[in-house]
Each structure stands twice: as structure tokens, then as C-alpha cells.
Amino acid sequence: MSTVIEQAVEARLVAAAPRMPTIPATLHYDRRDPFAVRMSFPAPATLEGIEVYWTFARELLVHGVERAAGEGDVRVRPYGFDRTVVEFHAPEGTAIVHIRTGDLRRFLHRTMALVPAGQEHRHVDLDQDLAELMRDAC
């Protein structure tokens, strides 16, 4: 069984320049980092011209498709019947995208099949994580 789930989604930029109203994005989940979800945007879709990714809690996405969630750099909330808003806050500004809620639910369902909610701790390798932290400290 694979330990990684990737799913392409279409994100609609809010208040974006007319040249790119929708952008491709990829949701990424890795069982080796069971609490996190990564969302990446390809270089042509970013102001910097480089691939940009945001990593945030899977739980934030789970709650955000149902009700407003998040107080930090990433915030998620429902929007209408079939969209979810994801806001990315950085010192350079804020990017707001709409994503089909059904796409997010499918992705979350797949991640839950791989690592059920509440079972994430069983997939964390604390010894390896500590060794990486110590190696980076030297």
C-alpha cells in the first residue's frame, strides 16, 4: 500500500488578474507525516515564478469544509453549497482560493483510509524525527 496520496484540484483565485482565474494545485498527504497536508501551486501560477507550497494540519481541512477554521497563516471555511475557501496569509500578502468541496472531501476520505483520525500517532517515528532535528542542529 502506498504511503503517499496526491490529488490534483482546480483552485479559483479570488480577486486575481483576469489572465489566470483558475490555477492547478496539488493536495499531498504522506503517512510518514500523518498530521499534515501540503498544498502546492506550480511556478507559472505564482507571483514569484517558483513552485509554492503550504503545509498545514489535516484537521484544519477536515473542520474547514464544515465551518470556519484556523487563526494563523492558513484559514479554511465553507463558501456556498459546493465551494470551500482556503486563505493563505504571508508577510507579502494574502492569497484566497476557492476549491470544490467535493474534491476536498474525496482527498480527505482517501487520507482517512490511509491513516484514520485519532491514529496519526501510530505513524510518527519519533526516533527518526529526533535524529533529523539533532543532525540539523550540528
Side-chain angles (χ1 to χ4, degrees):
M1 174 184 260
S2 176
T3 65
V4 176
I5 295 171
E6 287 190 342
Q7 180 175 316
V9 294
E10 183 178 274
R12 182 170 298 277
L13 276 171
V14 176
R19 66 180 180 84
M20 192 174 289
T22 61
I23 57 173
T26 303
L27 292 166
H28 179 94
Y29 182 79
D30 189 333
R31 181 170 59 188
R32 293 171 297 183
D33 190 5
F35 293 100
V37 167
R38 187 175 73 205
M39 187 172 208
S40 62
F41 299 91
T46 69
L47 294 174
E48 297 85 8
I50 58 171
E51 180 181 28
V52 171
Y53 67 90
W54 289 77
T55 302
F56 51 94
R58 174 174 73 166
E59 185 177 32
L60 176 65
L61 202 53
V62 168
H63 293 301
V65 296
E66 300 297 330
R67 62 186 179 283
E71 297 178 3
D73 294 342
V74 181
R75 301 172 193 170
V76 184
R77 69 179 184 279
Y79 182 79
F81 176 70
D82 67 344
R83 298 281 175 174
T84 298
V85 172
V86 182
E87 297 179 13
F88 301 99
H89 297 263
E92 302 81 18
T94 300
I96 301 172
V97 296
H98 289 185
I99 302 169
R100 288 185 186 99
T101 303
D103 291 344
L104 293 176
R105 288 182 196 275
R106 273 188 293 286
F107 174 74
L108 288 169
H109 179 75
R110 293 173 63 205
T111 70
M112 294 297 176
L114 189 61
V115 178
Q119 299 299 309
E120 294 92 348
H121 65 282
R122 295 176 183 245
H123 299 274
V124 175
D125 186 345
L126 293 178
D127 291 333
Q128 179 181 339
D129 292 346
L130 183 58
E132 287 180 24
L133 283 172
M134 298 303 287
R135 183 183 61 229
D136 291 344
C138 297

